[in-house]
Amino acid sequence: MEYTISRFANIAGVSTRTLRYYDEINLLKPSRVNSAGYRIYGQKEIDRLQQILFFRELDVDLETIASIINDTNFNHIEALSHHYQELVRKRDRLDRLIEMVKKTIAHEKGEIQMKNDEKFEAFKDNLLAENEAKYGEETREKYGEKTINESNAKFKNMSKEQFEKMTQLGEEILELLPQALQTGDPASPLAQEVANKHKEWLTFTWPSYSKEAHKGLADMYVNDERFKAYYEKAVKGGAEFLRDAIHLYVNQS
Amino acid sequence: MEYTISRFANIAGVSTRTLRYYDEINLLKPSRVNSAGYRIYGQKEIDRLQQILFFRELDVDLETIASIINDTNFNHIEALSHHYQELVRKRDRLDRLIEMVKKTIAHEKGEIQMKNDEKFEAFKDNLLAENEAKYGEETREKYGEKTINESNAKFKNMSKEQFEKMTQLGEEILELLPQALQTGDPASPLAQEVANKHKEWLTFTWPSYSKEAHKGLADMYVNDERFKAYYEKAVKGGAEFLRDAIHLYVNQS
DNA sequence: GGTTGACATTGACGTTGCGTCAATCTGTAT
DNA sequence: ATACAGATTGACGCAACGTCAATGTCAACC
């Protein structure tokens, strides 16, 4: 089946200008051009345009799209799975926005109070930005004081970078623990650093942080054989030492 | 509280250039300018910017935004309700896109056939949201018993796919919990399924699984206010019910 | 009190993804 | 033969900033 430019545009829901532009930038060429210079499109172009629109929907710029789908290693199904995840992320962001609008309406009606940074929470795409955005009298928030909503959002929207950071944190803990133990003092700066990293690590995967829970987990590391083995494997006495460091850390902050 | 331009930008998650541009086009003026020409922003500007970002999220151009929020008849609550509806529409569109990606994957795999116009259906905005029943085929594989070493290795080398699976599990738990609670019985198959999913979820992030630790965490869900709130948000009584289901689950297996 | 370095200012030009003319040519139905 | 819809290639315009560049300020430290 062959299509003129306007029929093609109609099917796909884009303008003819868009198609001419895509031709111009070599993103999507017509399958052939007739004697009068008319652009003629076919089935392959239909599928390619669909791919393009998928990516466009995710705000990928056209040059990047071109390089992606021109890549001979380009795997359709893999790309689609990626689309899928990104779309779900976008939807989650919308969910948060919708929640925020609800909240703001309640705020306007005087039913609840909103803090300034809460007012922008959902606009931000990643939470790293959120963490950087602690300023002024906006109460240098301690981790432990984070609201549940914040950490829910955190977990649900955890990006790949964050996930990598999390795994890295886990590895750092295993790496630093033996060194910290060498100091012999769970209150030593190094030991406290390990405890701190452990907390950060937790906050990635637990819905919220609390001192009690943190201490509870530290105790489990000692009391439960399997947990214990994990940290003992890194260094003998590791579980106990970590527990002590965490307890000190938690009580101190 | 007063903010310099960069502090303000940081709180709101926009660039200083954006703020200067908004000043230039009279969309958002600083509350005052100091003797050196520095822009100083205050509380009113925070709120106004939030309004602006709401509209921007809906792809309203800045000029229109200005005319809307400068209108003395401007009714905040009404405008917000309008936001709300628009956002929900956007989300519905995303839902359709997500469905389409699924479909396209199936098409690529040769499982189903798609007509050309179907391939662009979801890109078009004006389609009325056709309520397709959406419950994706979930061929969830079972996890057998895992050794400590296996799960340790698993955690350290957790792939992106696994991570996604983990987040999905977390969502499923929140989804199923209310349904399970409706049965009123923590021993019911559905409740036990939730408990099982919870265990699977745990094994992703905990170095190893143990019954004691699992029960311990379940107790924490009830005793710790913050944990509790997380599951209570899904459904009232959710934390207690989940705890009971987990205890039964653990003792049974 | 001089220096430094982060932070502020105002231009001014660049960018992306098209929309929107304008001037002209083609296809086909009557 | 005459319309008239639909095609072509320029060319300019645009929104919403990003990104220099050149320069002025503030607070802190030696």
Side-chain angles (χ1 to χ4, degrees), chain A residues 17-247:
Chain A
R17 177 70 179 92
T18 297
L19 291 177
R20 279 180 34 245
Y21 181 62
Y22 288 178
D23 183 3
E24 188 186 331
I25 64 170
N26 295 322
L27 177 57
L28 179 66
K29 293 271 181 199
S31 66
R32 65 185 186 86
V33 176
N34 78 4
S35 59
Y38 281 27
R39 292 172 180 81
I40 310 292
Y41 295 88
Q43 184 58 42
K44 278 225 310 282
E45 287 69 36
I46 294 253
D47 293 334
R48 187 173 166 97
L49 182 54
Q50 194 198 16
Q51 280 289 339
I52 291 167
L53 294 184
F54 271 136
F55 280 105
R56 200 180 64 167
E57 200 63 35
L58 306 172
D59 299 317
V60 180
D61 63 287
L62 300 184
E63 204 185 326
T64 308
I65 295 179
S67 69
I68 292 173
I69 62 183
N70 287 335
D71 185 355
T72 49
N73 289 350
F74 176 62
N75 181 331
H76 279 259
I77 299 201
E78 204 177 288
L80 285 170
S81 311
H82 185 244
H83 287 332
Y84 184 82
Q85 294 155 27
E86 288 296 312
L87 287 172
V88 169
R89 270 196 48 200
K90 264 196 142 183
R91 189 179 53 184
D92 286 347
R93 178 158 177 274
L94 264 181
D95 280 337
R96 283 186 294 143
L97 266 166
I98 287 170
E99 269 310 301
M100 200 171 71
V101 173
K102 267 194 198 167
K103 236 179 161 176
T104 306
I105 290 176
H107 176 71
E108 291 274 327
K109 288 182 179 167
E111 288 166 8
I112 63 164
Q113 286 265 355
M114 276 178 91
K115 282 196 271 173
N116 277 341
D117 54 354
E118 271 185 293
K119 292 183 179 172
F120 297 100
E121 209 178 289
F123 289 126
K124 295 177 185 174
D125 282 325
N126 64 357
L127 292 125
L128 295 176
E130 207 172 295
N131 286 338
E132 284 163 14
K134 311 294 182 191
Y135 267 108
E137 60 149 26
E138 283 308 317
T139 58
R140 313 187 154 281
E141 275 182 345
K142 300 251 174 188
Y143 276 88
E145 290 166 298
K146 279 203 200 304
T147 70
I148 292 146
N149 281 341
E150 271 177 321
S151 53
N152 282 354
K154 189 172 203 163
F155 179 70
K156 280 186 78 174
N157 299 294
M158 199 157 148
S159 69
K160 272 161 204 149
E161 292 91 299
Q162 286 176 301
F163 175 61
E164 277 153 22
K165 192 172 179 184
M166 182 188 108
T167 54
Q168 203 198 325
L169 264 173
E171 286 173 9
E172 281 174 22
I173 289 168
L174 282 181
E175 232 178 78
L176 285 178
L177 187 57
Q179 298 175 39
L181 197 135
Q182 277 220 312
T183 70
D185 180 13
S188 68
L190 198 53
Q192 289 302 296
E193 200 196 334
V194 173
N196 182 52
K197 276 185 197 298
H198 187 262
K199 181 180 89 180
E200 283 180 34
W201 179 73
L202 271 187
T203 57
F204 275 113
T205 54
W206 279 15
S208 68
Y209 176 77
S210 80
K211 295 177 177 185
E212 295 320 307
H214 195 184
K215 284 197 284 189
L217 185 62
D219 288 340
M220 268 193 260
Y221 282 169
V222 174
N223 297 329
D224 187 273
E225 279 310 303
R226 296 173 192 233
F227 272 86
K228 193 171 177 177
Y230 182 73
Y231 286 104
E232 291 294 310
K233 212 184 56 184
V235 60
K236 195 153 160 288
E240 270 101 344
F241 186 81
L242 182 57
R243 176 199 57 188
D244 295 342
I246 289 173
H247 272 261

Side-chain angles (χ1 to χ4, degrees), chain B residues 65-113:
Chain B
I65 294 179
S67 70
I68 291 173
I69 63 183
N70 287 335
D71 185 356
T72 48
N73 288 351
F74 177 62
N75 182 331
H76 280 256
I77 298 196
E78 201 176 290
L80 284 170
S81 308
H82 185 245
H83 286 333
Y84 186 81
Q85 290 164 29
E86 288 295 310
L87 288 172
V88 169
R89 266 197 46 204
K90 269 194 134 180
R91 188 179 53 185
D92 288 347
R93 179 159 177 276
L94 268 180
D95 280 337
R96 283 184 290 138
L97 267 165
I98 287 169
E99 272 311 301
M100 195 170 75
V101 173
K102 269 194 194 170
K103 240 178 163 175
T104 307
I105 290 176
H107 175 72
E108 290 275 325
K109 289 182 178 167
E111 290 165 7
I112 63 163
Q113 285 267 357

Side-chain angles (χ1 to χ4, degrees), chain B:
Chain B
M1 191 57 185
E2 295 199 315
Y3 308 91
T4 63
I5 193 167
S6 64
R7 286 177 189 281
F8 188 33
N10 242 297
I11 290 173
V14 302
S15 72
T16 59
R17 178 69 179 91
T18 297
L19 292 176
R20 279 180 32 246
Y21 181 63
Y22 288 180
D23 184 3
E24 188 186 329
I25 64 169
N26 295 321
L27 176 58
L28 178 66
K29 292 272 181 197
S31 65
R32 65 186 186 86
V33 176
N34 78 6
S35 58
Y38 281 27
R39 293 172 179 81
I40 310 292
Y41 295 87
Q43 185 58 42
K44 279 225 309 281
E45 287 70 36
I46 294 249
D47 293 334
R48 187 172 165 100
L49 181 54
Q50 195 196 13
Q51 280 290 336
I52 291 168
L53 294 184
F54 269 136
F55 282 105
R56 200 180 63 167
E57 200 62 32
L58 306 173
D59 299 317
V60 180
D61 63 288
L62 300 184
E63 203 185 325
T64 309
I65 294 179
S67 70
I68 291 173
I69 63 183
N70 287 335
D71 185 356
T72 48
N73 288 351
F74 177 62
N75 182 331
H76 280 256
I77 298 196
E78 201 176 290
L80 284 170
S81 308
H82 185 245
H83 286 333
Y84 186 81
Q85 290 164 29
E86 288 295 310
L87 288 172
V88 169
R89 266 197 46 204
K90 269 194 134 180
R91 188 179 53 185
D92 288 347
R93 179 159 177 276
L94 268 180
D95 280 337
R96 283 184 290 138
L97 267 165
I98 287 169
E99 272 311 301
M100 195 170 75
V101 173
K102 269 194 194 170
K103 240 178 163 175
T104 307
I105 290 176
H107 175 72
E108 290 275 325
K109 289 182 178 167
E111 290 165 7
I112 63 163
Q113 285 267 357
M114 274 178 93
K115 282 194 252 166
N116 277 341
D117 53 356
E118 268 185 296
K119 291 183 180 173
F120 298 100
E121 231 172 71
F123 288 126
K124 298 178 185 175
D125 282 325
N126 55 348
L127 279 179
L128 297 175
E130 286 162 49
N131 277 357
E132 303 169 34
K134 50 185 146 186
Y135 275 109
E137 30 35 278
E138 280 168 32
T139 35
R140 305 233 122 274
E141 68 228 73
K142 294 255 175 197
Y143 294 69
E145 280 297 304
K146 291 161 197 158
T147 70
I148 303 157
N149 284 340
E150 268 176 324
S151 57
N152 283 355
K154 186 170 202 164
F155 176 69
K156 282 184 80 172
N157 303 305
M158 197 158 146
S159 69
K160 275 160 201 153
E161 291 90 308
Q162 285 176 300
F163 175 60
E164 277 135 24
K165 195 164 186 180
M166 180 188 110
T167 56
Q168 204 197 326
L169 264 173
E171 286 174 6
E172 282 174 21
I173 288 168
L174 282 183
E175 233 174 67
L176 286 180
L177 186 57
Q179 298 176 40
L181 196 135
Q182 277 218 312
T183 70
D185 180 15
S188 69
L190 197 51
Q192 289 301 297
E193 198 196 335
V194 172
N196 184 47
K197 275 185 197 295
H198 187 262
K199 178 180 127 184
E200 287 179 22
W201 180 74
L202 269 188
T203 57
F204 275 114
T205 54
W206 279 16
S208 67
Y209 176 76
S210 81
K211 294 178 177 185
E212 296 322 308
H214 197 181
K215 284 197 284 188
L217 185 63
D219 289 339
M220 268 194 262
Y221 282 168
V222 174
N223 296 328
D224 187 286
E225 277 313 303
R226 294 169 192 249
F227 273 86
K228 190 171 178 178
Y230 181 73
Y231 287 105
E232 290 296 309
K233 213 186 58 183
V235 59
K236 195 154 163 287
E240 269 101 344
F241 187 83
L242 181 58
R243 177 199 57 191
D244 295 343
I246 289 172
H247 273 261
L248 282 169
Y249 174 83
V250 166
N251 292 332
Q252 218 165 32
S253 60

